[in-house]
Amino acid sequence: MTAPARRGAGIPGALVAPALVGALLVLLPLLGLVVRTPWRALGDLLGEPEAVEALRLSLVSASAAAVLATVTGGPLGWIFARSAHPGARALRPLVLLPLVLPPVVAGVALLATFGRRGILGDGLDALGVHVPFTTLAVVLAQAFVALPFVVLTVETGVRNADVGLEEAAAACGASRWFTFRHVSLPLLGPSVVAAALLAWARALGEFGATITFAGNVAGRTRTLPLAVVTALQRDTDTALALSALLVAVSLLVLVGLRDRWLGGR
């Protein structure tokens, strides 16, 4: 016997038309990409040396950025969820600012910090470390824009965790560190995995901050998004093939997260 429908659970008819427009706003460009992509030549286009090099660099840099964002953003998310300190509340919107910050501004900010004339530039130069327009700059730019996704995902996971299990462990005499390692962290495991995957996907698609801070040097800073823009100037088919690859990877990440960690049916 089916449960009765909840009052107010229906969909108002007035929402259908704007919802369809919103769906088409996303689906039509994706359909255009699918229709225009030269699928028969996809293997050859993606096998070109420049495409392979851009893919390799993207995978390496996005993975490094995801690790950096997860290792540093995870603790921030935990603190924001559990701390009532005014400093934490003041810090939170600043840490989440890259979510709405124009990517080119993020790149300029990174240059103002790590560039030769940046606030850390002189010290880094003295140590023989040159960050801008290097692969390290790519990783930093990607981590900068990906970190807020980790913070929000972990913060949500901590807020939804069963605090009663932690209290029970403490009542049994477990230390704070033991409770964190053996109770809190396992409960938070799915959220950490989801955060890392979101950070990786965001880093893989980063463009604006990367081209501003790291440039577009083949084999050193030219990631897949930058390779797409470069290919558009000379070979539309290659640009379409690389774009289709990025869409496929992003879709796989979202589908995986939906089924396992983001409440999919």
Side-chain angles (χ1 to χ4, degrees):
M1 184 175 180
T2 59
R6 292 180 300 168
R7 180 178 297 179
I11 301 175
L15 299 181
V16 175
L20 287 175
V21 173
L24 290 174
L25 188 62
V26 175
L27 294 178
L28 283 178
L30 293 177
L31 177 62
L33 179 62
V34 170
V35 171
R36 288 292 311 280
T37 297
W39 296 105
R40 294 183 178 180
L42 191 65
D44 294 335
L45 293 172
L46 295 180
E48 294 180 356
E50 291 185 6
V52 173
E53 184 60 31
L55 175 61
R56 182 200 65 81
L57 178 60
S58 291
L59 293 176
V60 171
S61 61
S63 299
V67 170
L68 178 59
T70 303
V71 170
T72 57
L76 278 171
W78 182 283
I79 292 171
F80 292 155
R82 293 290 175 87
S83 176
H85 193 280
R89 291 199 298 268
L91 180 62
R92 185 177 184 272
L94 297 176
V95 171
L96 299 181
L97 189 59
L99 285 173
V100 296
L101 197 66
V104 66
V105 175
V108 172
L110 289 167
L111 276 174
T113 302
F114 298 101
R116 290 182 178 273
R117 299 182 180 179
I119 58 176
L120 299 180
D122 290 339
L124 291 173
D125 281 343
L127 296 174
V129 178
H130 307 287
V131 179
F133 309 107
T134 64
T135 304
L136 176 59
V138 176
V139 174
L140 290 177
Q142 292 174 339
F144 181 88
V145 299
L147 187 139
F149 290 88
V150 176
V151 173
L152 286 177
T153 306
V154 172
E155 182 182 6
T156 301
V158 173
R159 293 186 186 278
N160 293 333
D162 188 353
V163 182
L165 295 176
E166 298 177 353
E167 295 175 345
C172 292
S175 65
R176 182 175 297 180
W177 177 243
F178 182 92
T179 301
F180 174 77
R181 287 182 57 194
H182 298 282
V183 179
S184 304
L185 199 56
L187 289 173
L188 198 60
S191 294
V192 174
V193 174
L197 286 175
L198 283 173
W200 184 81
R202 179 63 185 89
L204 190 69
E206 164 51 33
F207 173 79
T210 303
I211 197 170
T212 306
F213 181 47
N216 186 13
V217 182
R220 189 167 65 181
T221 66
R222 182 176 295 168
T223 56
L224 277 178
L226 274 66
V228 170
V229 174
T230 302
L232 272 176
Q233 302 172 6
R234 55 178 176 80
D235 185 3
T236 304
D237 284 348
T238 299
L240 289 168
L242 292 174
S243 298
L245 176 61
L246 283 170
V247 169
V249 171
S250 301
L251 185 60
L252 285 175
V253 171
L254 287 178
V255 170
L257 290 175
R258 175 184 179 275
D259 290 342
R260 297 188 179 185
W261 295 290
L262 297 186
R265 292 179 182 272

